[in-house]
Amino acid sequence: MNHRPPLFRPALTTLALVLSCALPAHANERESLESLRQTTRALIDALVEQGVLSRDKADALIRSAQEKARLAANEAGATSPATSASGKPVLRVPYVPDSVRAQLRDEVKDEIVAQARAERWGVPSAPSWVNNIKIDGDIRLRHQQDSASSDNTSALTYVAAEIQNANGITRMPEFTKYAENALGVQPLTDTSEDRSRQRVRLRLGLTAKVTDEVGVGLRLATGSATDRVSTNQTLGQNFNKYQLFVDRAFVRLDPAEWVSIQGGRIPNPWFGTEMTWNENLNFEGFAATFRQPAAEEAFAPFLTLGYFPLREATPPARNSRSLWGAQLGANLALDSRTRVKLGLAYYSYNNLEGRSDPNYAIVGSSVPVGVNYGGYEYPSGLRQRGNTLFETNPLLSGSLDTDPVWGLAYRFKPLVLTASAEFTHFSPFNILATAEYANNTAFSASDFRRRANPAFYNNVDPGGSREGYQFKLAVGATEVRDFQDWQVAFSYRHVGSDAVLDAFTDSDLGLGGTNVRGYTLGFTYGLYRNTTLGMKYLAAENINSTINSNFPDASYKVNSLQVDLNVRF
């Protein structure tokens, strides 16, 4: 089987060199141009004979060159060409510097090689499905330093608040864990502890185009089976091997130019920021996007609808949980250098809110529980931190204590407005701006009291806040891909405790979740093609009390430094 690689690459190089001399600056221009034309024609014929080019492609290439030459002559105003004393036309060829010819040669070579790779010239025996599969991925190495403030409220205070049942409300339940021994009650966490980690992230994806209307996608990633918002793997596991998880597995249908439908474990279908949706989050369910077919239109509206099951109704769950969403937006091309995108979304979480759980009884010295006990829990494997939580199993003073089961104090139906703009007026760098505002329309203290145990929470206001906002400004390359590309970015976020669900939001600022305000300053530089070095500094503190109204001054502050080496392939 003859794949012809020895001839193919030198032939392309020779063709590029010949074309780079297309504008010679010598006296005998006419003979030089005729020689160039014949040489180029002979080279193209040789490529056809060797099977690198088909005759149809070769003829199309020649016709294209002739048409471009004709148009160039017309644009130059060649309506009445100059003639010599004998009446023959005078051919004038301008001088082209060596640097320009070298640039033309490189551009032509790159263009031809790229086309050859895309169309697999010289590999006629390759099966057709090879062109329908794309494999990509990235590897990121990260050093992360988290520095907690020494003034943070102590873990002992969180434990005391939980033991005393001081209205059974908190926004950081992970700090309420404790053990009892001869020394008394001992917290199991430390709120002022610093942490230094080295981490790695691997993502490997595959997409396949089955037909023009049907495609499938698969991606594997490092991380944890119980952490949906992080694909990091922390080093220091005694050289144990890492696990790879199915991060995406979906089918995509494009039955028409104006609609796309996805199902399975799909990429994030929503236009938004990390304040609402973590960048590592993928969705389980179904989404459909309807859009303006012509991408070049100055106004291109879109509509996205989605349904995502969160939990099926099996014990101890009483009801299934789900997320519904709708987003209406548009892409706007205000001019050739200004592009704007807007989106207004409404998300509805169903049956996620907590309720007092009476499915237990105190008998003697034990607390037996029923089969459905814990069905209203907001579990630790789902939540991050920041949302207002209450004990769904509160025990009155003097009763036996049980491990707390935490439920969400509020329902979540956030309305989210997102806008972004790209300005390319300031070559060689661009300006990118993004802003987002969220308002939880279901935020209601009276609704909380209807669901909570009236004997315990009847006069309790859980507190919290329903609004959040973020803005970000970036200067430099739109996307850092090539050598010496760079981008500087600054963002500020103020997201109230119950503006959005903390389970799916950013996991970096303030170590993740809501009830946080702070800024992020980052710089990314292109070391090589698809290889970047980045540095990010994050400073954050809480907004509302991290415990409850009985502890109004409870606080948590943490600053983080992240240094990333990222390689994409």
Side-chain angles (χ1 to χ4, degrees), residues 271 295 297-302 329-343 417-425 431-435:
F271 167 54
E297 294 290 334
F299 175 74
F302 65 87
N331 290 283
L332 307 173
L334 302 184
D335 56 51
S336 61
R337 295 181 177 271
T338 306
R339 294 188 175 275
V340 175
K341 187 174 184 178
L342 302 173
L417 175 63
T418 310
S420 68
E422 179 180 351
F423 306 94
T424 59
H425 305 69
I431 296 179
L432 311 172
T434 307

Side-chain angles (χ1 to χ4, degrees), residues 19-26 29 33 92-105:
L19 293 177
S20 71
C21 301
L23 296 175
H26 304 290
E29 296 93 344
L33 288 174
R92 304 185 186 277
V93 180
Y95 171 71
V96 178
D98 291 340
S99 60
V100 175
R101 282 189 282 172
Q103 181 180 354
L104 289 172
R105 179 189 65 225

Side-chain angles (χ1 to χ4, degrees), residues 344-403:
L344 179 63
Y346 179 76
Y347 307 111
S348 176
Y349 292 92
N350 302 298
N351 296 322
L352 201 61
E353 66 276 4
R355 297 176 182 273
S356 287
D357 192 344
N359 199 19
Y360 66 96
I362 301 173
V363 180
S365 60
S366 63
V367 184
V369 298
V371 65
N372 291 320
Y373 181 71
Y376 300 121
E377 182 181 12
Y378 184 40
S380 58
L382 176 60
R383 64 181 185 247
Q384 293 194 75
R385 57 175 58 167
N387 286 162
T388 304
L389 307 181
F390 73 103
E391 290 188 39
T392 64
N393 58 341
L395 296 175
L396 300 179
S397 177
S399 299
L400 294 173
D401 194 15
T402 62
D403 290 334

Side-chain angles (χ1 to χ4, degrees), residues 527-549:
L527 294 178
Y528 307 99
R529 170 69 177 169
N530 288 330
T531 302
T532 63
L533 180 66
M535 182 178 294
K536 189 183 294 184
Y537 181 77
L538 309 94
E541 63 180 358
N542 63 290
I543 301 172
N544 304 116
S545 167
T546 54
I547 304 180
N548 52 53
S549 58

Side-chain angles (χ1 to χ4, degrees), residues 42-66:
L43 180 57
I44 293 176
D45 289 341
L47 293 175
V48 172
E49 291 177 4
Q50 292 293 328
V52 175
L53 280 178
S54 67
R55 172 50 62 186
D56 291 341
K57 287 185 177 179
D59 293 341
L61 185 63
I62 294 172
R63 287 195 298 272
S64 175
Q66 292 173 342

Side-chain angles (χ1 to χ4, degrees), residues 266 269-270 283-287 306-310 321-325:
I266 68 175
W270 312 109
F283 288 68
E284 297 176 354
F286 306 90
Y307 165 71
F308 309 98
L310 298 176
R321 292 176 170 178
S322 61
L323 165 65
W324 295 81

Side-chain angles (χ1 to χ4, degrees), residues 294-315:
E296 66 274 6
E297 294 290 334
F299 175 74
F302 65 87
L303 171 66
T304 299
L305 304 174
Y307 165 71
F308 309 98
L310 298 176
R311 185 188 72 182
E312 63 175 318
T314 57

